[in-house]
């Protein structure tokens, strides 16, 4: 059910978490097959940006984080990665996560310029 402003209500959070858990199993399978870019694309499919439920956001971040950290060649992932996930990763303060997110951020800035970064930072509706 949609709540005010198109956000998902908390009573639907359990269904979202169940979908995230299913997605997590798919991602682990892809990572075992050495397909990290496909795992990231799968992690980002159907992400719950329109929920205010922190459990959903955290569960989804864990799945996306797992896929991001498995990627060695960052050039192959730009078409699917939302810069907001980079900022979520940087906010963790975890050294390996921050290092990976900064490497990706540097390549993204070189490839796409500052426009996508600024749009991501100014978007107050779709936070991850």
């Amino acid at each position: 059910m949609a709540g005010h402003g198109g956000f998902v209500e908390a009573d639907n959070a359990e269904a979202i978490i169940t979908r995230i858990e299913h997605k997590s199993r798919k991602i682990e399978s892809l990572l075992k097959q050495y397909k990290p870019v496909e795992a990231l694309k799968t992690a980002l499919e159907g992400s719950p940006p329109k929920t205010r439920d922190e459990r959903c956001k955290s569960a989804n971040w864990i799945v996306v984080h797992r896929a991001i950290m498995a990627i060695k060649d960052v050039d192959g992932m730009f078409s699917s990665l939302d810069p907001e996930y980079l900022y979520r990763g940087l906010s963790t303060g975890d050294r390996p996560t921050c290092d990976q997110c900064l490497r990706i951020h540097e390549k993204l800035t070189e490839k796409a310029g500052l426009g996508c970064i600024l749009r991501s930072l100014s978007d107050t509706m779709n936070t991850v």
Side-chain angles (χ1 to χ4, degrees):
M1 287 290 200
H4 300 296
F7 282 90
V8 176
E9 294 177 14
D11 60 348
N12 200 22
E14 295 305 320
I16 293 171
I17 289 175
T18 300
R19 284 195 309 266
I20 292 169
E21 289 170 349
H22 178 70
K23 187 172 25 173
S24 178
R25 288 188 293 276
K26 280 187 193 176
I27 289 164
E28 288 302 323
S29 174
L30 288 167
L31 292 176
K32 288 177 184 175
Q33 297 171 35
Y34 301 101
K35 298 178 180 178
V37 174
E38 289 178 40
L40 179 62
K41 288 178 182 178
T42 301
L44 295 172
E45 287 174 1
S47 294
K50 297 254 182 198
T51 182
R52 291 186 176 138
D53 191 301
E54 284 302 316
R55 295 174 305 152
C56 294
K57 289 182 178 185
S58 293
N60 195 63
W61 163 246
I62 290 167
V63 171
V64 172
H65 175 260
R66 176 75 176 101
I68 286 174
M69 294 305 289
I71 292 178
K72 304 295 183 232
D73 177 25
V74 296
D75 290 327
M77 63 186 256
F78 289 123
S79 63
S80 57
L81 183 64
D82 185 336
E84 291 179 13
Y85 284 102
L86 295 178
Y87 301 117
R88 173 91 186 232
L90 290 170
S91 73
T92 65
D94 175 57
R95 180 67 184 240
T97 301
C98 291
D99 288 348
Q100 178 76 336
C101 289
L102 286 172
R103 277 193 296 276
I104 295 167
H105 189 278
E106 178 183 22
K107 295 283 188 176
L108 180 62
T109 305
E110 287 173 9
K111 186 169 182 136
L114 294 176
C116 67
I117 307 286
L118 294 173
R119 279 190 297 279
S120 175
L121 290 173
S122 65
D123 185 359
T124 59
M125 293 299 290
N126 296 317
T127 59
V128 294

